[in-house]
Amino acid sequence: MGRVYNFSAGPAVLPEEVLAEAASEMLNYRGCGMSVMEMSHRSKPFAEIIENAEADLRELIGIPENYKVLFLQGGASQQFAAVPMNLMKNRVADYIITGSWAKKAWKEGAIYGDARAIASSEDETFSYIPDCSDLPISDDADYVYICENNTIYGTKFHTLPNTKGKDLVADVSSCFLSEPVDITKYGVMYGGAQKNIGPAGVVIDIIREDLISDDVLEGTPTMLKWKTQADADSLYNTPPAYGIYICGKVFKWLKDQGGLEAIGERNKEKAAILYDYLDQSTLFKGTVRKEDRSLMNVPFVTGSDELDAAFVAEAKDAGLVNLKGHRSVGGMRASIYNAMPKAGVEKLVEFMDGFEKAHV
């Protein structure tokens, strides 16, 4: 079987060029006689890998010197606890609940202090982003928290919340590096790599330096102190070395594509192909308010569980895989991350059109 078009929400599609280059270096990385999987994280070759990865990420986003970049383990979910442990000085934080992951982060935050849900879209199955222009931000809040792109529900903050001067903390796992971003609008931005950047096992934190200190909640594990990781340049213990190596290759691939401006335009073009089809279809319907649609994750339904199941099965046979939607939404979901080529989206729409003609 050849390569399929993989619409998985994560772990997800990676650029073929990156996979091919990694394959060519698997047994012997650049003449050192071993794989990156085998080398010490203290070695000179790996030091160059992680240093170059950070430099390329900084260039892609435009990260100023007063922000630290950390390559960590534990996934984004571990940061649900690390965020309050490192930031909850007043034991108060405001959370905007726009999906399962924000809700989980909020519940985790409530273990450590007064985590306040100041807005939510759960009343309509998280199918929209609440108005965040004038929220009841707590005077003593240590931060305001969002999940910027909601993988399961297919929504995206296209305008960041008005935090009224409080630091914004954002989980950007499923929209990381998908378009240009002004990092200075965030106190903390973090995301798991397995959706848009690399393999599972790496989480990248970008943190303004003044938020990194020894002043953390009592009982915070050494490994979850951002200062521990920052002081050691992400090498306090053995990091997810091979995952960081792949992330570094993806960063170079993004630079070769023209950077985040170019990839952002390409992502808009890809998403428009699918959304335009959904808007005119008589069988398939999108589940998200138009103004809040994600460029990365596109859920849609037929209205029939039987037809949904038939579509997913027949699509798989056609080389379009991992289209089954999350159980909380049902139907289908196409994740069209940076590495999904335009041809993949076009083939999906062509298949949807044929399926519709056969069933309407």
Side-chain angles (χ1 to χ4, degrees):
M1 186 178 187
R3 292 278 293 174
V4 297
Y5 288 117
N6 178 14
F7 293 94
S8 172
V13 60
L14 286 166
E16 287 192 23
E17 300 95 320
V18 167
L19 296 174
E21 187 175 332
S24 72
E25 296 175 342
M26 177 57 76
L27 295 178
N28 186 353
Y29 176 73
R30 300 188 180 179
C32 73
M34 68 183 80
S35 171
V36 175
M37 282 189 178
E38 302 170 290
M39 67 176 55
S40 168
H41 62 293
R42 307 290 183 191
S43 67
K44 183 178 179 181
F46 186 75
E48 292 176 351
I49 286 171
I50 194 169
E51 288 166 9
N52 288 337
E54 178 176 341
D56 286 337
L57 179 60
R58 285 184 175 275
E59 182 181 341
L60 278 166
I61 295 178
I63 302 174
E65 291 185 2
N66 66 323
Y67 281 75
K68 287 286 189 181
V69 174
L70 305 178
F71 295 94
L72 306 175
Q73 303 178 67
S77 294
Q78 186 160 275
Q79 296 303 303
F80 296 169
V83 166
M85 285 177 171
N86 284 272
L87 296 184
M88 257 195 186
K89 318 300 184 187
N90 297 323
R91 299 289 182 120
V92 176
D94 290 342
Y95 285 73
I96 300 169
I97 314 300
T98 53
S100 299
W101 302 114
K103 191 172 183 178
K104 287 183 178 181
W106 166 59
K107 288 182 176 180
E108 191 77 13
I111 296 173
Y112 305 100
D114 183 7
R116 300 171 180 173
I118 58 171
S120 174
S121 55
E122 191 168 11
D123 61 328
E124 295 185 20
T125 321
F126 299 121
S127 60
Y128 70 99
I129 298 294
D131 180 1
C132 297
S133 60
D134 188 21
L135 294 172
I137 304 293
S138 305
D139 290 340
D140 52 352
D142 293 302
Y143 57 88
V144 177
Y145 184 100
I146 64 171
C147 181
E148 190 163 328
N149 188 88
N150 295 284
T151 321
I152 293 173
Y153 300 95
T155 58
K156 168 75 161 66
F157 281 85
H158 294 294
T159 301
L160 293 177
N162 176 8
T163 64
K164 300 180 179 178
K166 303 298 182 181
D167 289 317
L168 178 64
V169 176
D171 175 354
V172 298
S173 294
S174 53
C175 62
F176 220 161
L177 302 185
S178 63
E179 59 186 346
V181 62
D182 181 357
I183 190 64
T184 64
K185 293 181 177 179
Y186 304 77
V188 180
M189 173 190 286
Y190 72 86
Q194 74 277 9
K195 298 178 184 295
N196 212 27
I197 299 175
V202 184
V203 60
I204 300 171
D205 282 22
I206 305 171
I207 309 169
R208 205 175 64 236
E209 282 187 338
D210 63 289
L211 299 178
I212 300 173
S213 73
D214 285 317
D215 182 17
V216 297
L217 296 189
E218 184 178 353
T220 297
T222 301
M223 282 286 291
L224 293 190
K225 283 179 62 176
W226 290 335
K227 192 171 190 302
T228 299
Q229 303 290 355
D231 287 350
D233 295 322
S234 302
L235 297 173
Y236 175 76
N237 71 326
T238 307
Y242 196 79
I244 294 168
Y245 157 76
I246 297 293
C247 289
K249 289 194 176 299
V250 172
F251 300 154
K252 289 194 182 299
W253 176 81
L254 282 167
K255 289 171 64 177
D256 289 343
Q257 303 307 302
L260 299 191
E261 289 279 356
I263 207 73
E265 290 304 312
R266 188 180 310 172
N267 286 330
K268 289 176 184 176
E269 181 183 7
K270 288 188 304 185
I273 293 169
L274 183 48
Y275 284 126
D276 287 349
Y277 176 77
L278 287 171
D279 288 343
Q280 60 81 45
S281 174
T282 56
L283 177 62
F284 299 101
K285 301 296 178 188
T287 61
V288 173
R289 289 185 188 177
K290 288 185 178 182
E291 63 269 24
D292 298 323
R293 286 170 166 174
S294 167
L295 297 180
M296 298 285 97
N297 311 101
V298 185
F300 55 97
V301 297
T302 65
S304 162
D305 291 343
E306 292 77 14
L307 277 180
D308 289 348
F311 176 86
V312 171
E314 292 178 27
K316 182 178 180 181
D317 290 340
L320 306 164
V321 305
N322 293 318
L323 282 164
K324 185 177 180 180
H326 191 272
R327 60 186 176 275
S328 59
V329 178
M332 286 68 66
R333 172 181 52 180
S335 294
I336 51 176
Y337 298 123
N338 287 346
M340 173 59 66
K342 179 181 175 182
V345 181
E346 290 173 334
K347 184 173 180 182
L348 173 60
V349 167
E350 180 184 353
F351 180 81
M352 292 170 70
D353 189 52
F355 187 90
E356 177 171 332
K357 288 174 179 173
H359 292 86
V360 174

